[in-house]
Amino acid sequence: MQHNGAGETPNGEPPPLSFSAAAPLQMATSRVRRFAQEGRTVPPQPRVMVVFSAASDTEKQGDAMLGADTGEEEYRKPAIPVPNLNLGKSLRTLDAPEEFPEVIPLNVGGTYFTTRLSTLRRYEDTMLAAMFSGRHHIPRDAEGRYFIDRDGAYFGDILNFLREGELPQRDRVRAVHREAQYYAIGPLLESLEDTQPLTGEKVRQAFLDLLPYYKENLERIVEIAKLRAMQRKARFAKLKICVYKEEMPITPYERPLFNSLRFERSESEAKLFEHHCEVDVSFGPWEAVADVYDLLHCIVSDLAERGISADQQCIGVCDKHLINHYYCKRPIYEFKITWW
């Protein structure tokens, strides 16, 4: 907009101020001084606030803020946002390492223990050493004992090993082994795995690894027995289970011809002997010294480990006709699963 000689617009009002980014306040001061020299009344000046942006001096600042007639000031956000520096509430600051007393009172699942700090830090790569390293917060109970939310029934065995390397009694080995796994105490795990019954379990598992379907079949035994007992509203259920070691069924006529139960047949002949015995679950074959009775012992003991009572007895063989004079001679066992 152009100005007239008197510095007024055609309607007699002073023209609006036009600011540049270089000197907005200097222009306003010059206009007031010119009104004073001419003896004219200086009109009331609106209240303004100038906002500087990162733009160059040659760019117009038409978006600068204007004053409000009502007296309320409206502010525009600056062109470059101001970063929020109040980050303390969203980030958790690291506390200084916690100092522990030499004697540590513990509350492990409601069971109280007292031990030295050096005992808990005996092996640095364990969970207990990490907990009491000072880097982690450990809650306390109402009496100030450090609380560990774990069953304390076998924690005494853990402390005895950390103190002097003492191992638990045989009937507690499995349970202490589970606790050692939780607390990640490697030396205790190695010592327990070299003692009974865990050593025997490793040998037994090496045999069961020959039957990759073993655990799946064990689950099938439990499910079938449960469903059968519920359907019949009975206290127990009976299942037929085939357990055989040889690679394929044979007849008594073939046994004298071979020194062992293993013999070779062509692929076409082998297919003639493929069949499934009419049983609920079948185990076999496998190649190992362990025989059928060893596998039966595994099945019964693993069911007992789950609190399921099982009795078994041989009730005959499959005796299914295959081809010519060949009949299946796989043994069939009857399992009686008692539920209560």
Side-chain angles (χ1 to χ4, degrees):
M1 179 182 295
Q2 295 182 351
H3 294 238
N4 59 16
E8 296 180 349
T9 59
N11 57 6
E13 296 180 357
L17 297 178
S18 176
F19 294 101
S20 66
L25 296 181
Q26 182 178 0
M27 294 179 60
T29 304
S30 299
R31 181 173 176 79
V32 173
R33 185 181 295 112
R34 187 169 63 253
F35 272 88
Q37 292 175 355
E38 296 176 359
R40 298 172 59 183
T41 303
V42 180
Q45 302 297 317
R47 300 176 63 185
V48 299
M49 183 176 74
V50 180
V51 178
F52 296 94
S53 69
S56 62
D57 294 341
T58 60
E59 295 179 357
K60 295 183 179 181
Q61 303 297 320
D63 290 337
M65 15 166 29
L66 301 176
D69 295 339
T70 59
E72 295 181 0
E73 299 181 356
E74 297 180 357
Y75 300 93
R76 287 184 178 270
K77 292 183 180 180
I80 301 179
V82 179
N84 182 14
L85 301 178
N86 187 20
L87 301 178
K89 295 182 179 180
S90 60
L91 298 179
R92 182 179 180 181
T93 58
L94 296 177
D95 299 330
E98 184 177 357
E99 297 292 335
F100 294 98
E102 182 61 27
V103 178
I104 303 294
L106 297 171
N107 179 350
V108 183
T111 306
Y112 301 149
F113 299 92
T114 303
T115 188
R116 294 172 62 91
L117 178 62
S118 58
T119 300
L120 299 174
R121 295 177 175 176
R122 177 64 55 95
Y123 301 103
E124 61 181 13
D125 293 334
T126 66
M127 177 179 173
L128 291 173
M131 290 175 62
F132 290 90
S133 64
R135 302 189 304 268
H136 307 284
H137 171 71
I138 306 177
R140 301 196 185 197
D141 62 11
E143 299 181 2
R145 299 183 180 91
Y146 294 99
F147 180 74
I148 300 177
D149 192 11
R150 187 74 175 175
D151 187 359
Y154 301 97
F155 191 76
D157 297 278
I158 299 293
L159 288 181
N160 288 339
F161 177 80
L162 295 176
R163 288 164 177 158
E164 50 191 27
E166 179 182 343
L167 296 178
Q169 298 179 358
R170 177 169 178 170
D171 60 339
R172 298 172 66 88
V173 167
R174 293 183 185 274
V176 175
H177 186 265
R178 288 193 297 268
E179 296 303 302
Q181 288 179 320
Y182 176 79
Y183 294 109
I185 306 177
L188 177 54
L189 289 172
E190 294 177 0
S191 299
L192 292 176
E193 289 172 0
D194 289 336
T195 60
Q196 284 287 60
L198 295 184
T199 300
E201 180 61 27
K202 292 171 66 175
V203 175
R204 189 182 82 111
Q205 191 59 47
F207 162 58
L208 293 179
D209 288 342
L210 299 175
L211 292 79
Y213 51 82
Y214 176 78
K215 291 184 178 180
E216 180 181 352
N217 280 6
L218 204 65
E219 292 296 330
R220 289 184 59 193
I221 292 174
V222 175
E223 290 300 321
I224 294 174
K226 179 173 65 175
L227 180 62
R228 195 164 292 174
M230 293 178 65
Q231 290 176 342
R232 299 177 180 179
K233 308 298 186 294
R235 178 169 171 259
F236 59 86
K238 293 182 178 181
L239 291 80
K240 289 184 179 181
I241 299 178
C242 177
V243 182
Y244 65 101
K245 178 181 177 179
E246 62 271 17
E247 290 182 325
M248 58 183 66
I250 61 175
T251 68
Y253 303 103
E254 292 178 305
R255 291 179 183 271
L257 302 178
F258 302 94
N259 295 327
S260 66
L261 297 181
R262 298 185 59 217
F263 53 92
E264 299 295 334
R265 287 195 180 103
S266 65
E267 183 176 354
S268 59
E269 290 177 335
K271 290 183 178 180
L272 297 176
F273 291 88
E274 292 180 356
H275 77 290
H276 297 283
C277 301
E278 296 180 357
V279 294
D280 296 303
V281 182
S282 181
F283 292 86
W286 66 86
E287 295 184 18
V289 175
D291 58 17
V292 170
Y293 298 102
D294 295 321
L295 183 57
L296 290 172
H297 180 272
C298 291
I299 297 173
V300 173
S301 60
D302 285 342
L303 291 174
E305 186 72 17
R306 301 175 60 169
I308 301 174
S309 174
D311 299 313
Q312 55 83 20
Q313 63 176 348
C314 183
I315 58 175
V317 295
C318 175
D319 210 26
K320 182 178 181 180
H321 180 256
L322 301 178
I323 183 175
N324 296 333
H325 61 281
Y326 292 98
Y327 291 83
C328 175
K329 298 302 178 182
R330 295 172 180 173
I332 306 299
Y333 294 84
E334 182 183 73
F335 272 66
K336 180 181 179 181
I337 308 297
T338 303
W339 290 107
W340 86 85

